[in-house]
Amino acid sequence: MMGVYPPGSVVQLTDGRFALVDGVNSVRPLKPRVLVHDPSGARNEALLLDLENEPALGIRRSLRVAVVARGAGRADAVAVRRLVLRSRRRHARSR
C-alpha cells in the first residue's frame, strides 16, 4: 500500500528530528513507522518509532535528501543518507 509518506521518504518530525519512513500505516496514514536519526546516538543504530503509538509526535514536513543536506549540518546530512541506504537494504532483504 502506498501512503501519504511512502517508505524511503525523508521527513522532519514535530520535535525537529529527521527521520526516514520505514513502513506505512494503512489505518492512520499520517502516522507511519519511522527510523529516527539521533545525532547523539550510535552511528550504526537508529530508533524505530511507530508514530501511531506516539500521540505527541507527528510529521512536520516531508523533505528531499538534497534539502536536508543544505539545511542540516554535514553530520546530520550524512546520517540521513545512511538511514536511507540502511532502509533500502532492509527492504531489499525482505523481498
Side-chain angles (χ1 to χ4, degrees), residues 17-83:
R17 294 182 292 175
F18 295 113
L20 184 76
V21 176
D22 185 63
V24 177
N25 183 334
S26 60
V27 177
R28 297 190 62 200
L30 298 177
K31 293 285 194 170
R33 190 175 61 237
V34 296
L35 285 167
V36 180
H37 165 59
D38 182 3
S40 63
R43 288 182 168 224
N44 61 348
E45 295 180 12
L47 176 64
L48 183 62
L49 284 179
D50 187 344
L51 293 180
E52 184 172 16
N53 299 327
E54 303 290 333
L57 194 57
I59 294 177
R60 177 178 295 153
R61 61 187 175 149
S62 181
L63 302 165
R64 292 189 329 239
V65 175
V67 172
V68 175
R70 280 198 309 266
R74 178 163 167 66
D76 282 342
V78 168
V80 168
R81 286 189 179 126
R82 285 184 182 144
L83 280 175

